[in-house]
Amino acid sequence: MLPKITNCSWADLATVSSLKYRAARSLEAPDGRLFHSVAAVQCALSCIELMGEISEPNVDLLEVLSTSNQIDPGEAILLALTAADPNGYFLTGDKRALKAVSQLDIAPSFAGRMIIVEQILWKCLQVKGHGWLLENVCPFKSIDKTISIILGSRCDADAMHVCQGFSSYVSQVVQLHNPSLLVEYGPYEL
């Protein structure tokens, strides 16, 4: 689904190599943080196998990104690679890291190049529909507070409310930096 929504092939997508090893360790006993089920681990490993390789990050950019305690080392690597590649994009679910990046002097180099999970799920709502989103995300909604709120306490929010929730949240993130760090994925309508 990710290649379809991002208009990229799996070979165009990449992640830090440590994720493959973390997933493999979670295969028998999911870690409960990143991987909540064996099925999630298996899906992640299948996707990682299809992804391209990442290069070495620019050390100077990595140093700048590492000054924030809100950006973890893996994110710093991916962000440094994104900043150095004019065609690179960064997909994240970490709102703290996004806010931290928006406050760095190098933030303009990420303008229009970041994608948040809520944008992906908003596109899934459009492409796959409300029922698919609830069926596939609700069992794991507790992983992310924002998504849990958008889907409703009993995962009973109707399609219009879900769309409005995503719209409201994405609008807040857009306002973190001018120009916006987020890729424009509009229009988001049902």
Side-chain angles (χ1 to χ4, degrees), residues 116-180:
I116 56 174
V117 170
E118 288 77 8
Q119 288 176 294
I120 298 295
L121 291 178
W122 200 354
K123 274 300 194 185
C124 287
L125 177 64
Q126 288 181 289
V127 173
K128 293 289 198 172
H130 180 252
W132 181 93
L133 187 73
L134 295 182
E135 180 181 329
N136 289 279
V137 177
C138 284
F140 311 103
K141 73 180 182 103
S142 63
I143 294 171
D144 186 285
K145 186 176 180 180
T146 300
I147 300 218
S148 185
I149 291 168
I150 290 171
L151 295 178
S153 61
R154 292 186 306 261
C155 222
D156 57 356
D158 63 36
M160 188 56 65
H161 284 99
V162 172
C163 192
Q164 289 170 345
F166 285 136
S167 175
S168 175
Y169 183 75
V170 170
S171 294
Q172 290 174 20
V173 175
V174 163
Q175 294 174 19
L176 286 175
H177 191 271
N178 188 13
S180 174

Side-chain angles (χ1 to χ4, degrees), residues 19-167:
L19 184 61
K20 181 177 182 177
Y21 302 108
R22 182 173 177 183
R25 285 193 312 269
S26 296
L27 200 52
E28 290 191 25
D31 64 13
R33 291 188 59 222
L34 186 58
F35 300 107
H36 288 258
S37 70
V38 171
V41 174
Q42 291 169 332
C43 181
L45 286 169
S46 295
C47 294
I48 291 168
E49 288 301 319
L50 299 172
M51 290 181 175
E53 298 290 322
I54 61 173
S55 58
E56 291 296 316
N58 177 303
V59 178
D60 295 331
L61 289 173
L62 195 55
E63 189 174 312
V64 170
L65 292 159
S66 297
T67 62
S68 172
N69 61 358
Q70 301 298 311
I71 300 172
D72 73 36
E75 289 167 331
I77 291 169
L78 293 173
L79 285 162
L81 290 167
T82 301
D85 179 355
N87 298 314
Y89 294 92
F90 180 73
L91 169 62
T92 186
D94 189 337
K95 286 74 171 183
R96 293 177 318 141
L98 190 62
K99 188 172 183 179
V101 168
S102 74
Q103 297 168 358
L104 294 173
D105 290 340
I106 63 169
S109 65
F110 295 103
R113 301 178 62 209
M114 300 185 100
I115 304 166
I116 56 174
V117 170
E118 288 77 8
Q119 288 176 294
I120 298 295
L121 291 178
W122 200 354
K123 274 300 194 185
C124 287
L125 177 64
Q126 288 181 289
V127 173
K128 293 289 198 172
H130 180 252
W132 181 93
L133 187 73
L134 295 182
E135 180 181 329
N136 289 279
V137 177
C138 284
F140 311 103
K141 73 180 182 103
S142 63
I143 294 171
D144 186 285
K145 186 176 180 180
T146 300
I147 300 218
S148 185
I149 291 168
I150 290 171
L151 295 178
S153 61
R154 292 186 306 261
C155 222
D156 57 356
D158 63 36
M160 188 56 65
H161 284 99
V162 172
C163 192
Q164 289 170 345
F166 285 136
S167 175

